[in-house]
Amino acid sequence: MNIELLPIDQVDIDLLKKWQNDASVKYPLMGFRFPIQKETVKDWLENLRNDNGVKRVMFGIYVNSDAVGTVSLHNIDYVNSNAEFGIYVAEKKENNKGVGTAASIMTLDFAFNAMGLNRVGLEVISNNLNAIHMYKKIGFVNEGVKRNYYFMNGSFFDVNCMSILSSEFVIETNKIKNRLIYNIDK
């Protein structure tokens, strides 16, 4: 399986719209509660294009040349050297195959070794056990909980706050396939 991260604008607009309107994608991500129109997706992509690298960086996740999701660093703060992380693998056939883990590792490698960030944080709904397991496996640690923070399906859910520091990212970069930065022999 070949997993790559490519510029988000290479992902088909209709596919992005489909993902952003899929309840199984949008609710666990705590975003896009209301229907997303095609023009809204176009505007969103234009804003990403104009803001690229300033406050956010977003990639399409590709498996064997097929777009399956997105991964991003957002709310980038260069002064304090941190950012927030977000990911979704929207194509169900690619779930539980290591796609999210590989894409997350590539993105964190980019954040720490290309952008020079020190901390990457995220928020995840407490019932999203697969995501929490993946984040912990990569090295994210719990920082706290926002109690009854997110409303879904008639109930309130806690939201876990997690982060990873550059010093905690202990992946061997020479083993990362399709790195977003150039491998240099030290």
Side-chain angles (χ1 to χ4, degrees), residues 16-36 88-90 92 125 150-152:
L16 287 168
K17 179 178 156 262
K18 175 187 147 200
W19 292 342
Q20 292 176 355
N21 284 299
D22 182 341
S24 70
V25 172
K26 69 181 177 178
Y27 281 96
L29 291 176
M30 300 182 292
F32 3 102
R33 290 243 185 195
F34 303 103
I36 302 294
Y88 65 86
V89 177
K92 306 298 179 262
I125 298 176
Y150 188 71
F151 187 75
M152 177 174 63

Side-chain angles (χ1 to χ4, degrees), residues 1 3 89 94-105 134 137:
M1 175 178 351
I3 301 167
V89 177
E94 299 303 338
N95 288 343
N96 301 311
K97 292 183 177 180
V99 174
T101 301
S104 297
I105 289 170
M134 178 191 76
K137 183 170 75 170

Side-chain angles (χ1 to χ4, degrees), residues 18-181:
K18 175 187 147 200
W19 292 342
Q20 292 176 355
N21 284 299
D22 182 341
S24 70
V25 172
K26 69 181 177 178
Y27 281 96
L29 291 176
M30 300 182 292
F32 3 102
R33 290 243 185 195
F34 303 103
I36 302 294
Q37 310 304 319
K38 190 170 187 172
E39 284 303 314
T40 305
V41 177
K42 287 180 184 177
D43 292 344
W44 176 72
L45 284 172
E46 184 61 30
N47 287 334
L48 280 172
R49 192 174 296 110
N50 293 334
D51 192 36
N52 193 34
V54 177
K55 287 286 186 186
R56 59 186 157 186
V57 177
M58 184 166 231
F59 299 98
I61 303 170
Y62 284 77
V63 174
N64 300 328
S65 301
D66 294 326
V68 299
T70 69
V71 63
S72 69
L73 297 166
H74 51 277
N75 297 329
I76 299 169
D77 179 345
Y78 290 103
V79 173
N80 293 302
S81 191
N82 63 60
E84 296 297 315
F85 179 79
I87 184 169
Y88 65 86
V89 177
E91 296 298 320
K92 306 298 179 262
K93 67 181 187 215
E94 299 303 338
N95 288 343
N96 301 311
K97 292 183 177 180
V99 174
T101 301
S104 297
I105 289 170
M106 283 188 270
T107 305
L108 292 171
D109 176 41
F110 182 75
F112 296 134
N113 296 313
M115 296 175 68
L117 297 179
N118 180 57
R119 179 189 177 281
V120 174
L122 61 84
E123 293 185 353
V124 58
I125 298 176
S126 61
N127 70 344
N128 193 344
L129 300 179
N130 286 344
I132 292 168
H133 174 75
M134 178 191 76
Y135 296 139
K136 285 181 177 179
K137 183 170 75 170
I138 292 169
F140 281 88
V141 297
N142 285 314
E143 293 184 324
V145 175
K146 293 181 177 181
R147 298 178 308 139
N148 284 340
Y149 188 78
Y150 188 71
F151 187 75
M152 177 174 63
N153 289 339
S155 298
F156 286 96
F157 291 87
D158 292 348
V159 171
N160 294 0
C161 302
M162 303 178 80
S163 72
I164 185 170
L165 303 178
S166 174
S167 61
E168 296 167 337
F169 185 66
V170 292
I171 305 298
E172 293 181 48
T173 55
N174 63 343
K175 293 185 178 179
I176 299 173
K177 189 176 177 189
N178 298 321
R179 273 185 95 193
L180 299 169
I181 62 176

